[in-house]
Structure formats: structure tokens, C-alpha cells
Amino acid sequence: MHAAPLVVGFDLDMTLIDTTPGFGAVLRALGAELGVEFPVEQMTARLGPPLDVMLGEHLAADAVGPAGDRFRALYPDHAIASVPLLGGAEDAIAAVRRHGGRVLVVTGKYPANAQLHLDHLGLDVDHLEGWVWGVGKADVLRREGATIYVGDHVHDVEGAKAAGALSVSVLTGGCGREELLEAGTDVVLETLAEFPAWLEDHLLELRLDALAADLRERGSVLVAYSGGADSAFLLAAAVRALGPDRVAAATGYSHSLPLAERDPAREFAASLGVEVLTPATHEMEREGYRANGADRCYFCKAELLDVLTPLAAAHGLAHVATGTNADDAVAGFRPGIRAADERGAIAPLRDAGLTKAQVREASRRWGLPTWDKPAAACLSSRVAYGVEVTPYRLGRVDRAETAVRMLLADAGLRDLRVRDLGDRARIEVDATLLPMPAELEASVVDAVRGAGFADAEVDPRGFRSGSMNEAL
């Protein structure tokens, strides 16, 4: 199972842009040429219907077509520079982009003129489709895979509903709330400024529903459980979907797991009524792991899954599930994910499209204590690539971090890494704690040396997740 890609369509006039001044200017110029005094205020008060329909109320039938052609010809000179974005338009598009989504503009406007607006205003759009109206928009929305269509008019609602997309309406055009609701819209927003927050909530609920459905379909799971925010949330979600009797947690105990992580992880799982299995893993026996090349995580995850897969079968659990989220899946170099996929592990958070931020937000809403827990990668991630991983090295990193946490407990330390560079250690702490008072920094360096490092220094750049990958 994989989350459907996010594709959001937007109407243009009175949804993304305030066409009123430009449309009025073109009507006046056209009227001057034709000797017709169009009721500009009346015609611009409710933009949305096709131009020919609007002109047809004021011109003879045989004059409508030529007048429409002339209107479109006059449009670039009279209507582009004067038309602004509506409030929240850029933020609405950016909100779609933050979730890796595609942005469509599906409009009744003449395509060439619509493109001029997009170019002039610098709107980042993947696809523009013009000269489509009402239910005619449905064909475009379906073809492009849009799941949401945003507009201001009742006919935008018709297009969304005909396409099977969620209809989101804004009150920036001529249609009122009751009118839009009567037309069947799903959501009414005052302006596009409300769209980013709405989208965040909508996607979170949608993805949580997808996660629950996926887990229910799986029947039972053994969660590869580190105690971090992702695996803890997956464990809680599995219990909600399946009940604690069809869920178990497994934490591989080895030299790479910090001792400080073990008890809190067990306590959290116990609070859910879940059994925690603690099999020993022996990644240190894998040459590729000890060699500590760029693919070290592959060998670590391979060992974990080779231990957990038969363990799940022995406990009658259908699947091993990892806490890989949607951000992890696109984060670039992640050999551990490849190892898990090769061994048939499932990744329900990733497949539901849940990002790290969404995992934390859902955890907060569910009252999970791990919602704001700092990232806690395994101890091996502290050892510079190419430096052999040994129990001694991991042990001194663990001792060093424990000592530094004690020293900085009152300073509000959140993120910490003691990086083993082979001949020395680099200490990364929250940037907000830098620069440290000289006396405190000296104490921190001495504590790390006392853990077994010949030399150490505090990194003036502060904590950076995955900073060892900078050398790759």
C-alpha cells in the first residue's frame, strides 16, 4: 500500500487572483470600441461564468463571438499588470509543495491569458488547463489525478464533485457560504489564507485513516521498536487498530543501543499493554557493519530483520513493521530502508504518507510522551565512516554522552551527539547553547576525554542530524 500522490487543483479568477480590476478595464475598452456601455460593476461582481454567457446578456447573438475574440485580444494590455494575487494564494500553493504535491490551475479563462497571469505573478504551477467550465473541469481533474479542487463559484463545486474530488470553496468570489454549501461543497474557507492549516489537518486525518486501514488489513504485526518517536507512534497506532493482543514490540539489544534508551522504551510499550521482546542482535559479527562504510546501516538493518522475521513467525505475527516515515523514504541515502524492503518488512507510516512532522503532531494529539522526543540514532552513527566500529568505541560514546547530558541538564540540552572521529571526538549540542561559557565548555571537553577519548572539541556549528553524511 502506498499513499496516493497529492494533486490539488485551483480555479484562477477570484480564487488565486482578483480579476475584478483587469476584467473591468477590458470591458470598458471593448465597450468603447463597440459603442456599448457595459454595466461593469454588475458584471464584475460575480465573475465565473464563461465570457460568452456574460456578453450574451448585452449583445446580439451574432455579435457575441467576435466581441469575445476582441475581448481576449485586448486582455493582455489592459488586465495583466493591474490584477493582483488574492491573499494567501502563494501560501496555499506552498502548502501543497511542502507535502510534495502537484499544483494545477483549471480555469474557464482563455489559456494564453491565464498563462500571462501566472507568469506575471510568478505562480509555481505544474499544469494549466484553460477554457473548461463547470462539470467540464472534471475531465481535467480526473486525468491529472486531482483529489482536491479549490474554487469560489458553485460551478467549481460541480466540477470537483463530478471528478470525485474534495470540493474546497473560498468566499472571495461572488458566491456566498449558503449558496456554496447548497451546491454540495465539502469545505468553505473565508480566504486562501486558511487553506494551509486546513490542508495540514485534512492530510493528517486522511493519512491516519489510511494507516489504520492498512494495519487492520495486516491482521497482526511485530513492530521493530527503538523507542523513538516514529516506532513509538507506530506501536500506538497498531494497538488502536488491532488491539494489544495482536501486536508485539521487538527491540534488538546490542552494543549500538544506548543504555539510557532501554527502560523508557519498555515503560512506554507497557503502558499500551504490549509485550516487548528483546532479542540479541549481532551486527558486530557482520564484516560490512564493522568496516563502517557508507552502507553500514544496510548490514545493521539486515541483522535486525533477520532476527525479527523468524521471531514474528514464532509468535504468530503476520508482519514485521518498521517506523520508516514518508520523509525517510525521500531523504536520499538510506541503505537501511533497502535492507528492510528486501526482507519483506512493511513500513506503514511511509505507505500512509505520514511525514515526521505529522507523526509528531498525531503523537501530540494522542497524548503520547514521545511526541517531542529528540531523534536518537544508534551509537554506530556517531563513528566516522571508515573508522572500524567496535564495542569499545560504542561504549565510550555512550559514556561520553551520558556524562555531557549530566553536565548540561540544567542548561536545557535537547540534542547531543559525541562524534567519534577516530583520534578525537567532536561534541555537537543545540546551537542555542553556543557559545558556551569557557569554564562550562572545558568541563564538557574533560568529561568526554574522561570517557576514553584522547582529545575532544565542541563543534561551534552545533548539532546537525546526520552530520557524518556530510563527508559522503
Side-chain angles (χ1 to χ4, degrees):
M1 296 179 64
H2 292 279
L6 175 64
V7 181
V8 179
F10 291 90
D11 178 46
L12 185 61
D13 293 342
M14 305 313 298
T15 298
L16 289 173
I17 62 175
D18 182 1
T19 329
T20 305
F23 199 92
V26 180
L27 281 176
R28 292 185 187 94
L30 178 65
E33 288 190 8
L34 299 179
V36 176
E37 188 171 343
F38 291 109
V40 173
E41 288 191 15
Q42 176 187 332
M43 293 176 72
T44 57
R46 204 172 163 85
L47 293 176
L51 176 63
D52 288 357
V53 173
M54 300 179 72
L55 294 177
E57 297 178 3
H58 308 282
L59 297 174
D62 61 352
V64 170
D69 290 340
R70 185 57 184 155
F71 181 100
R72 286 182 281 273
L74 291 168
Y75 196 94
D77 292 333
H78 293 271
I80 301 302
S82 63
V83 169
L85 284 171
L86 284 165
E90 289 180 305
D91 290 341
I93 290 174
V96 178
R97 295 293 188 212
R98 276 197 299 276
H99 289 280
R102 294 181 67 235
V103 176
L104 317 175
V105 169
V106 184
T107 174
K109 187 179 288 298
Y110 178 52
N113 288 338
Q115 187 64 57
L116 289 173
H117 281 299
L118 300 182
D119 293 343
H120 176 72
L121 296 168
L123 288 181
D124 180 19
V125 170
D126 295 296
H127 179 76
L128 165 67
E129 191 94 15
W131 265 358
V132 284
W133 169 250
V135 294
K137 294 184 176 185
D139 289 339
V140 181
L141 296 174
R142 279 194 298 265
R143 185 189 72 219
E144 298 295 326
T147 55
I148 299 169
Y149 184 61
V150 187
D152 64 282
H153 200 278
V154 291
H155 293 300
D156 296 325
V157 178
E158 292 174 357
K161 304 307 281 187
L166 195 75
S167 173
V168 177
S169 297
V170 288
L171 299 178
T172 44
C175 295
R177 180 183 299 272
E178 294 306 317
E179 187 178 6
L180 291 162
L181 289 171
E182 186 176 342
T185 194
D186 298 292
V187 179
V188 178
L189 306 176
E190 290 289 333
T191 71
L192 281 180
E194 297 177 5
F195 181 80
W198 172 83
L199 183 65
E200 292 293 332
D201 281 344
H202 168 69
L203 290 178
L204 179 57
E205 293 302 320
L206 197 68
R207 291 169 182 178
L208 289 176
D209 288 346
L211 173 64
D214 183 11
L215 289 168
R216 285 193 296 268
E217 185 176 328
R218 303 294 184 180
S220 60
V221 293
L222 176 65
V223 175
Y225 175 58
S226 68
D230 294 325
S231 63
F233 174 71
L234 176 58
L235 190 63
V239 169
R240 284 183 169 222
L242 299 168
D245 56 329
R246 289 192 288 171
V247 178
T251 305
Y253 275 17
S254 71
H255 294 289
S256 65
L257 179 67
L259 292 174
E261 295 291 326
R262 300 184 181 188
D263 287 344
R266 292 178 66 90
E267 290 166 4
F268 174 80
S271 74
L272 299 175
V274 172
E275 179 183 9
V276 180
L277 309 174
T278 57
T281 56
H282 304 283
E283 54 267 29
M284 205 69 70
E285 296 178 6
R286 300 196 178 218
E287 183 179 350
Y289 180 84
R290 294 194 310 275
N292 196 22
D295 57 351
R296 180 198 65 241
C297 290
Y298 178 91
F299 299 100
C300 181
K301 192 68 75 174
E303 170 69 16
L304 178 64
L305 269 297
D306 287 348
V307 170
L308 297 193
T309 300
L311 187 65
H315 284 77
L317 299 168
H319 300 276
V320 176
T322 73
T324 299
N325 63 51
D327 288 334
D328 296 332
V330 296
F333 187 69
R334 292 294 178 97
I337 294 177
R338 177 166 60 89
D341 287 344
E342 288 175 356
R343 285 157 176 77
I346 62 173
L349 304 181
R350 175 193 65 192
D351 292 349
L354 285 158
T355 65
K356 185 73 171 186
Q358 288 177 322
V359 166
R360 291 194 181 280
E361 174 58 19
S363 298
R364 185 190 67 79
R365 294 184 184 187
W366 290 2
L368 305 183
T370 51
W371 76 271
D372 64 344
K373 183 178 180 180
C378 76
L379 292 172
S380 298
S381 69
R382 275 70 151 174
V383 182
Y385 290 116
V387 175
E388 184 181 10
V389 175
T390 65
Y392 172 74
R393 287 190 181 281
L394 301 183
R396 72 177 181 178
V397 167
D398 201 7
R399 292 192 301 272
E401 291 191 354
T402 298
V404 173
R405 285 195 181 280
M406 291 179 63
L407 279 171
L408 299 180
D410 295 336
L413 176 69
R414 176 178 171 84
D415 289 305
L416 166 68
R417 296 290 186 271
V418 173
R419 309 291 191 187
D420 184 338
L421 305 182
D423 57 346
R424 68 191 192 285
R426 186 177 73 218
I427 307 159
E428 297 178 13
V429 301
D430 304 282
T432 55
L433 302 182
L434 299 174
M436 289 184 193
E439 185 176 342
L440 180 58
E441 181 171 336
S443 297
V444 166
V445 169
D446 285 345
V448 173
R449 286 173 174 161
F453 287 95
D455 198 8
E457 62 180 358
V458 175
D459 191 327
R461 295 169 294 178
F463 168 76
R464 300 179 315 289
S465 180
S467 65
M468 287 300 200
N469 292 338
E470 293 170 3
L472 292 179

PDB file of all heavy atoms in Angstrom, residues 190-207:
ATOM      1  N   GLU A 190     -12.924  31.229   4.431  1.00  0.00           N
ATOM      2  CA  GLU A 190     -13.090  32.657   4.151  1.00  0.00           C
ATOM      3  C   GLU A 190     -12.182  33.095   3.011  1.00  0.00           C
ATOM      4  O   GLU A 190     -12.625  33.755   2.075  1.00  0.00           O
ATOM      5  CB  GLU A 190     -12.793  33.482   5.410  1.00  0.00           C
ATOM      6  CG  GLU A 190     -13.838  33.355   6.512  1.00  0.00           C
ATOM      7  CD  GLU A 190     -15.149  34.041   6.155  1.00  0.00           C
ATOM      8  OE1 GLU A 190     -15.113  35.006   5.358  1.00  0.00           O
ATOM      9  OE2 GLU A 190     -16.201  33.608   6.667  1.00  0.00           O
ATOM     10  N   THR A 191     -10.914  32.728   3.104  1.00  0.00           N
ATOM     11  CA  THR A 191      -9.931  33.068   2.071  1.00  0.00           C
ATOM     12  C   THR A 191      -8.920  31.935   1.977  1.00  0.00           C
ATOM     13  O   THR A 191      -8.889  31.017   2.802  1.00  0.00           O
ATOM     14  CB  THR A 191      -9.158  34.365   2.406  1.00  0.00           C
ATOM     15  OG1 THR A 191      -8.264  34.100   3.503  1.00  0.00           O
ATOM     16  CG2 THR A 191     -10.103  35.500   2.784  1.00  0.00           C
ATOM     17  N   LEU A 192      -8.043  32.032   0.998  1.00  0.00           N
ATOM     18  CA  LEU A 192      -6.979  31.038   0.869  1.00  0.00           C
ATOM     19  C   LEU A 192      -5.982  31.092   2.015  1.00  0.00           C
ATOM     20  O   LEU A 192      -5.198  30.152   2.196  1.00  0.00           O
ATOM     21  CB  LEU A 192      -6.236  31.237  -0.454  1.00  0.00           C
ATOM     22  CG  LEU A 192      -6.907  30.681  -1.715  1.00  0.00           C
ATOM     23  CD1 LEU A 192      -6.040  30.960  -2.937  1.00  0.00           C
ATOM     24  CD2 LEU A 192      -7.172  29.185  -1.587  1.00  0.00           C
ATOM     25  N   ALA A 193      -6.002  32.171   2.790  1.00  0.00           N
ATOM     26  CA  ALA A 193      -5.108  32.234   3.947  1.00  0.00           C
ATOM     27  C   ALA A 193      -5.395  31.105   4.929  1.00  0.00           C
ATOM     28  O   ALA A 193      -4.514  30.693   5.696  1.00  0.00           O
ATOM     29  CB  ALA A 193      -5.239  33.588   4.645  1.00  0.00           C
ATOM     30  N   GLU A 194      -6.621  30.575   4.911  1.00  0.00           N
ATOM     31  CA  GLU A 194      -6.987  29.486   5.809  1.00  0.00           C
ATOM     32  C   GLU A 194      -6.629  28.119   5.220  1.00  0.00           C
ATOM     33  O   GLU A 194      -6.715  27.100   5.913  1.00  0.00           O
ATOM     34  CB  GLU A 194      -8.491  29.520   6.094  1.00  0.00           C
ATOM     35  CG  GLU A 194      -8.949  30.777   6.814  1.00  0.00           C
ATOM     36  CD  GLU A 194     -10.457  30.804   7.015  1.00  0.00           C
ATOM     37  OE1 GLU A 194     -11.127  29.806   6.672  1.00  0.00           O
ATOM     38  OE2 GLU A 194     -10.969  31.810   7.528  1.00  0.00           O
ATOM     39  N   PHE A 195      -6.230  28.099   3.961  1.00  0.00           N
ATOM     40  CA  PHE A 195      -6.026  26.809   3.288  1.00  0.00           C
ATOM     41  C   PHE A 195      -4.863  25.995   3.853  1.00  0.00           C
ATOM     42  O   PHE A 195      -5.003  24.775   4.043  1.00  0.00           O
ATOM     43  CB  PHE A 195      -5.841  27.031   1.784  1.00  0.00           C
ATOM     44  CG  PHE A 195      -5.651  25.766   1.007  1.00  0.00           C
ATOM     45  CD1 PHE A 195      -6.737  24.979   0.652  1.00  0.00           C
ATOM     46  CD2 PHE A 195      -4.375  25.343   0.630  1.00  0.00           C
ATOM     47  CE1 PHE A 195      -6.566  23.795  -0.058  1.00  0.00           C
ATOM     48  CE2 PHE A 195      -4.190  24.168  -0.085  1.00  0.00           C
ATOM     49  CZ  PHE A 195      -5.293  23.391  -0.421  1.00  0.00           C
ATOM     50  N   PRO A 196      -3.684  26.587   4.131  1.00  0.00           N
ATOM     51  CA  PRO A 196      -2.578  25.753   4.635  1.00  0.00           C
ATOM     52  C   PRO A 196      -2.929  24.986   5.904  1.00  0.00           C
ATOM     53  O   PRO A 196      -2.637  23.785   6.002  1.00  0.00           O
ATOM     54  CB  PRO A 196      -1.453  26.772   4.875  1.00  0.00           C
ATOM     55  CG  PRO A 196      -1.727  27.857   3.879  1.00  0.00           C
ATOM     56  CD  PRO A 196      -3.229  27.973   3.863  1.00  0.00           C
ATOM     57  N   ALA A 197      -3.554  25.660   6.869  1.00  0.00           N
ATOM     58  CA  ALA A 197      -3.915  24.969   8.116  1.00  0.00           C
ATOM     59  C   ALA A 197      -4.953  23.891   7.844  1.00  0.00           C
ATOM     60  O   ALA A 197      -4.885  22.784   8.412  1.00  0.00           O
ATOM     61  CB  ALA A 197      -4.438  25.968   9.138  1.00  0.00           C
ATOM     62  N   TRP A 198      -5.923  24.211   6.969  1.00  0.00           N
ATOM     63  CA  TRP A 198      -6.924  23.198   6.636  1.00  0.00           C
ATOM     64  C   TRP A 198      -6.269  21.993   5.979  1.00  0.00           C
ATOM     65  O   TRP A 198      -6.582  20.838   6.303  1.00  0.00           O
ATOM     66  CB  TRP A 198      -7.985  23.775   5.694  1.00  0.00           C
ATOM     67  CG  TRP A 198      -8.899  22.692   5.206  1.00  0.00           C
ATOM     68  CD1 TRP A 198      -9.988  22.184   5.845  1.00  0.00           C
ATOM     69  CD2 TRP A 198      -8.723  21.912   4.004  1.00  0.00           C
ATOM     70  NE1 TRP A 198     -10.521  21.139   5.113  1.00  0.00           N
ATOM     71  CE2 TRP A 198      -9.769  20.953   3.986  1.00  0.00           C
ATOM     72  CE3 TRP A 198      -7.815  21.932   2.959  1.00  0.00           C
ATOM     73  CZ2 TRP A 198      -9.913  20.026   2.957  1.00  0.00           C
ATOM     74  CZ3 TRP A 198      -7.954  21.005   1.936  1.00  0.00           C
ATOM     75  CH2 TRP A 198      -8.993  20.072   1.934  1.00  0.00           C
ATOM     76  N   LEU A 199      -5.350  22.240   5.046  1.00  0.00           N
ATOM     77  CA  LEU A 199      -4.703  21.140   4.338  1.00  0.00           C
ATOM     78  C   LEU A 199      -3.905  20.265   5.292  1.00  0.00           C
ATOM     79  O   LEU A 199      -3.929  19.030   5.185  1.00  0.00           O
ATOM     80  CB  LEU A 199      -3.786  21.688   3.237  1.00  0.00           C
ATOM     81  CG  LEU A 199      -3.092  20.631   2.363  1.00  0.00           C
ATOM     82  CD1 LEU A 199      -4.130  19.845   1.557  1.00  0.00           C
ATOM     83  CD2 LEU A 199      -2.067  21.275   1.444  1.00  0.00           C
ATOM     84  N   GLU A 200      -3.201  20.899   6.233  1.00  0.00           N
ATOM     85  CA  GLU A 200      -2.436  20.122   7.209  1.00  0.00           C
ATOM     86  C   GLU A 200      -3.347  19.169   7.965  1.00  0.00           C
ATOM     87  O   GLU A 200      -3.051  17.976   8.122  1.00  0.00           O
ATOM     88  CB  GLU A 200      -1.717  21.056   8.191  1.00  0.00           C
ATOM     89  CG  GLU A 200      -0.596  21.873   7.592  1.00  0.00           C
ATOM     90  CD  GLU A 200       0.591  21.027   7.145  1.00  0.00           C
ATOM     91  OE1 GLU A 200       0.810  19.949   7.733  1.00  0.00           O
ATOM     92  OE2 GLU A 200       1.294  21.448   6.216  1.00  0.00           O
ATOM     93  N   ASP A 201      -4.463  19.686   8.471  1.00  0.00           N
ATOM     94  CA  ASP A 201      -5.397  18.845   9.229  1.00  0.00           C
ATOM     95  C   ASP A 201      -6.012  17.770   8.337  1.00  0.00           C
ATOM     96  O   ASP A 201      -6.155  16.609   8.741  1.00  0.00           O
ATOM     97  CB  ASP A 201      -6.507  19.700   9.844  1.00  0.00           C
ATOM     98  CG  ASP A 201      -6.057  20.421  11.098  1.00  0.00           C
ATOM     99  OD1 ASP A 201      -5.010  20.034  11.650  1.00  0.00           O
ATOM    100  OD2 ASP A 201      -6.747  21.364  11.518  1.00  0.00           O
ATOM    101  N   HIS A 202      -6.390  18.155   7.126  1.00  0.00           N
ATOM    102  CA  HIS A 202      -7.026  17.210   6.217  1.00  0.00           C
ATOM    103  C   HIS A 202      -6.087  16.056   5.889  1.00  0.00           C
ATOM    104  O   HIS A 202      -6.479  14.877   5.955  1.00  0.00           O
ATOM    105  CB  HIS A 202      -7.438  17.930   4.937  1.00  0.00           C
ATOM    106  CG  HIS A 202      -7.835  17.007   3.835  1.00  0.00           C
ATOM    107  ND1 HIS A 202      -8.994  16.253   3.883  1.00  0.00           N
ATOM    108  CD2 HIS A 202      -7.222  16.695   2.654  1.00  0.00           C
ATOM    109  CE1 HIS A 202      -9.086  15.522   2.782  1.00  0.00           C
ATOM    110  NE2 HIS A 202      -8.025  15.766   2.025  1.00  0.00           N
ATOM    111  N   LEU A 203      -4.843  16.369   5.533  1.00  0.00           N
ATOM    112  CA  LEU A 203      -3.901  15.322   5.160  1.00  0.00           C
ATOM    113  C   LEU A 203      -3.565  14.435   6.349  1.00  0.00           C
ATOM    114  O   LEU A 203      -3.417  13.207   6.201  1.00  0.00           O
ATOM    115  CB  LEU A 203      -2.631  15.933   4.577  1.00  0.00           C
ATOM    116  CG  LEU A 203      -2.785  16.589   3.207  1.00  0.00           C
ATOM    117  CD1 LEU A 203      -1.462  17.194   2.763  1.00  0.00           C
ATOM    118  CD2 LEU A 203      -3.278  15.590   2.166  1.00  0.00           C
ATOM    119  N   LEU A 204      -3.444  15.042   7.520  1.00  0.00           N
ATOM    120  CA  LEU A 204      -3.149  14.235   8.698  1.00  0.00           C
ATOM    121  C   LEU A 204      -4.267  13.239   8.959  1.00  0.00           C
ATOM    122  O   LEU A 204      -4.019  12.036   9.155  1.00  0.00           O
ATOM    123  CB  LEU A 204      -2.932  15.138   9.915  1.00  0.00           C
ATOM    124  CG  LEU A 204      -2.627  14.400  11.224  1.00  0.00           C
ATOM    125  CD1 LEU A 204      -1.403  13.498  11.082  1.00  0.00           C
ATOM    126  CD2 LEU A 204      -2.417  15.400  12.360  1.00  0.00           C
ATOM    127  N   GLU A 205      -5.504  13.705   8.943  1.00  0.00           N
ATOM    128  CA  GLU A 205      -6.632  12.795   9.190  1.00  0.00           C
ATOM    129  C   GLU A 205      -6.735  11.740   8.093  1.00  0.00           C
ATOM    130  O   GLU A 205      -6.990  10.561   8.363  1.00  0.00           O
ATOM    131  CB  GLU A 205      -7.937  13.593   9.282  1.00  0.00           C
ATOM    132  CG  GLU A 205      -8.020  14.498  10.502  1.00  0.00           C
ATOM    133  CD  GLU A 205      -7.863  13.727  11.809  1.00  0.00           C
ATOM    134  OE1 GLU A 205      -8.414  12.609  11.899  1.00  0.00           O
ATOM    135  OE2 GLU A 205      -7.184  14.225  12.725  1.00  0.00           O
ATOM    136  N   LEU A 206      -6.520  12.160   6.854  1.00  0.00           N
ATOM    137  CA  LEU A 206      -6.585  11.226   5.731  1.00  0.00           C
ATOM    138  C   LEU A 206      -5.528  10.135   5.878  1.00  0.00           C
ATOM    139  O   LEU A 206      -5.802   8.934   5.676  1.00  0.00           O
ATOM    140  CB  LEU A 206      -6.372  12.002   4.429  1.00  0.00           C
ATOM    141  CG  LEU A 206      -6.786  11.342   3.120  1.00  0.00           C
ATOM    142  CD1 LEU A 206      -8.300  11.201   3.043  1.00  0.00           C
ATOM    143  CD2 LEU A 206      -6.286  12.179   1.945  1.00  0.00           C
ATOM    144  N   ARG A 207      -4.331  10.539   6.250  1.00  0.00           N
ATOM    145  CA  ARG A 207      -3.233   9.592   6.355  1.00  0.00           C
ATOM    146  C   ARG A 207      -3.352   8.716   7.601  1.00  0.00           C
ATOM    147  O   ARG A 207      -2.961   7.540   7.576  1.00  0.00           O
ATOM    148  CB  ARG A 207      -1.900  10.348   6.308  1.00  0.00           C
ATOM    149  CG  ARG A 207      -1.661  10.941   4.922  1.00  0.00           C
ATOM    150  CD  ARG A 207      -0.509  11.921   4.850  1.00  0.00           C
ATOM    151  NE  ARG A 207      -0.401  12.466   3.488  1.00  0.00           N
ATOM    152  CZ  ARG A 207       0.479  13.382   3.123  1.00  0.00           C
ATOM    153  NH1 ARG A 207       1.339  13.884   4.011  1.00  0.00           N
ATOM    154  NH2 ARG A 207       0.499  13.822   1.870  1.00  0.00           N
TER     155      ARG A 207
END
